[in-house]
Amino acid sequence: MKILVTGGLGFIGSHTVVELQNAGHEVVIIDNLSNSSEDVLNGIFAITGILPSFENIDLRDKNLVVDFFKRHSDIQNIIHFAASKAVGESVANPLLYYENNIASLIYILQELEKKTASNFIFSSSCTVYGQAETMPITENTPIQPALSPYGNTKQIGEEIITDVAKISSISAILLRYFNPIGAHPSMNIGELPSGVPQNLVPFITQTGMGIRKELLVYGDDYPTPDGTCIRDYIHVVDLAKAHVIAMERLINKKNLDKVEIFNLGTGKGSSVLDVITSFEKVSGQKLPYKIVDRREGDVTTTYANTDKAKTVLGWQTESSIEESVASAWKWELKVRKA
Ligand code: WQD
């Protein structure tokens, strides 16, 4: 089937395009290259031998969105990744996030609403749960007030999709990711953070390369076994495969509701120090780091209950935290050698 992947040259988007092509689907990518590069197309081609069609479109431009759907009137399956995703940046520049993440979503949904049927996969985040009371987090864990505009755009996005699906022919699946890390085993695609990495694993691998002097560990006085925050780090290829399963579920009309929600994680929590230990083990080198103050907005602990994805989607992760960190490290080595 023909599937539109917005943000398809980004970290999770590009890995999902590969898995969609591996499953025999025709992929059309929209990306405005604000946090990705057209070179990623070559990486995808190197893996699958199929060059996806690509259009450099900024989804904040309603006219461009309307024009795209006029030219591709046969598209009725969408995986929507395109969005800004840096928590700290969203606090400093909320209107950039509300415009980019919400307006573009609305323009796409307005086009889908006109169709007799459409299937929509939304890139959501465990951020919507905030600091949940009990672990592991299930899809029924209460949503907490967002701690950042970024997290709020994911909550608002889910609400908009749910309201529109009720009165339209749109069927949707909301995928709540935990922490995506790693790179494709072929080492042709991986994470390419622009500027100073905000996220833990790319900062670790850049520190391992000597690009960063040391990792700053944001607090070791949390109520966790080793005092550092706990997250659920999921390999990006495992995450990508879940998108193919979810998209095919809608295409094959297997969904039980107009809107379904799935947590995508490993079900295991790893602390910051656990990730550092994994890095040192897989790289064979010590990681220079310093404990500093907590980072505003960080939750103490979050990791997924994976039962629903396992029983309903028949999906579960395959990579361990060490394998995921090892692939991120191998990718960093390759990118820096290029
Ligand atoms: C993980 C842990 C930090 C950097 C965010 C978004 C989430 C998703 C992933 C987009 C925390 C600690 C980090 C550093 C550190 N974004 N850390 N030093 O904040 O869990 O999730 O990114 O999809 O929606 O909320 O990920 O990698 O930034 O932080 O100590 O230099 O590592 O305090 O405990 P986070 P992260």
Side-chain angles (χ1 to χ4, degrees):
M1 297 292 278
K2 191 171 186 182
I3 296 168
L4 167 62
V5 179
T6 72
L9 294 183
F11 176 38
I12 307 169
S14 55
H15 287 81
T16 301
V17 168
V18 164
E19 298 309 324
L20 286 168
Q21 291 184 329
N22 287 344
H25 298 288
E26 179 193 349
V27 175
V28 178
I29 292 173
I30 285 180
D31 201 302
N32 70 357
L33 303 180
S34 62
N35 191 21
S36 57
S37 138
E38 206 163 336
D39 287 350
V40 172
L41 279 173
N42 302 325
I44 293 169
F45 180 73
I47 299 168
T48 65
I50 307 163
L51 194 66
S53 75
F54 161 63
E55 295 195 30
N56 180 347
I57 293 174
D58 192 321
L59 296 170
R60 290 172 294 187
D61 186 327
K62 183 181 169 85
N63 295 328
L64 293 179
V65 175
V66 172
D67 171 64
F68 174 86
F69 278 95
K70 272 206 187 96
R71 289 185 288 109
H72 296 272
S73 56
D74 57 339
I75 285 183
Q76 61 182 64
N77 302 305
I78 320 270
I79 303 182
H80 182 52
F81 290 105
S84 304
K85 62 150 210 158
V87 173
E89 184 187 46
S90 78
V91 174
N93 193 342
L95 282 177
L96 172 79
Y97 274 67
Y98 287 115
E99 184 192 34
N100 191 36
N101 295 7
I102 303 294
S104 56
L105 171 66
I106 290 170
Y107 298 152
I108 290 173
L109 292 173
Q110 284 173 329
E111 294 311 304
L112 294 188
E113 205 183 15
K114 300 170 187 171
K115 295 177 179 291
T116 51
S118 63
N119 299 309
F120 191 76
I121 304 287
F122 181 63
S123 166
S124 189
S125 169
C126 62
T127 309
V128 302
Y129 297 113
Q131 178 54 71
E133 299 293 311
T134 52
M135 289 296 140
I137 291 179
T138 75
E139 288 80 357
N140 299 316
T141 295
I143 301 296
Q144 304 271 356
L147 293 171
S148 70
Y150 161 76
N152 206 20
T153 65
K154 291 302 178 185
Q155 289 183 4
I156 296 168
E158 290 193 356
E159 289 163 8
I160 291 172
I161 294 160
T162 303
D163 288 345
V164 174
K166 277 188 194 122
I167 49 84
S168 73
S169 59
I170 298 170
S171 297
I173 291 181
L174 313 177
L175 296 177
R176 291 174 178 167
Y177 313 150
F178 282 71
N179 288 51
I181 64 170
H184 191 270
S186 67
M187 292 296 133
N188 285 304
I189 53 175
E191 191 167 9
L192 291 166
S194 43
V196 178
Q198 300 301 306
N199 295 130
L200 177 67
V201 170
F203 201 103
I204 285 179
T205 56
Q206 288 193 13
T207 303
M209 285 302 286
I211 297 164
R212 310 288 165 202
K213 179 172 156 289
E214 62 185 351
L215 170 73
L216 302 182
V217 174
Y218 297 140
D220 68 347
D221 57 349
Y222 285 92
T224 61
D226 66 18
T228 65
C229 294
I230 292 171
R231 297 289 186 276
D232 184 334
Y233 296 94
I234 174 173
H235 195 293
V236 64
V237 173
D238 286 335
L239 190 60
K241 289 177 177 172
H243 285 76
V244 180
I245 293 170
M247 186 82 260
E248 292 177 346
R249 178 175 172 85
L250 292 180
I251 290 169
N252 298 323
K253 301 190 183 347
K254 300 277 190 223
N255 51 306
L256 303 177
D257 298 303
K258 286 298 290 308
V259 179
E260 292 183 318
I261 299 173
F262 295 93
N263 285 343
L264 297 181
T266 65
K268 295 181 192 65
S270 299
S271 74
V272 175
L273 294 182
D274 289 336
V275 178
I276 292 172
T277 304
S278 297
F279 173 78
E280 293 182 337
K281 192 169 171 197
V282 302
S283 67
Q285 55 186 69
K286 289 298 283 173
L287 187 83
Y289 69 89
K290 185 167 70 176
I291 307 288
V292 295
D293 291 342
R294 294 182 175 191
R295 180 172 68 174
E296 189 65 32
D298 273 336
V299 297
T300 303
T301 298
T302 181
Y303 58 92
N305 176 311
T306 57
D307 293 348
K308 188 177 175 188
K310 203 177 291 180
T311 52
V312 176
L313 296 182
W315 170 89
Q316 62 183 9
T317 54
E318 295 160 35
S319 296
S320 68
I321 180 75
E322 273 179 22
E323 288 161 339
S324 304
V325 170
S327 76
W329 175 232
K330 204 173 159 197
W331 168 250
E332 187 72 64
L333 288 167
K334 184 205 169 181
V335 165
R336 301 302 160 196
K337 281 209 180 80

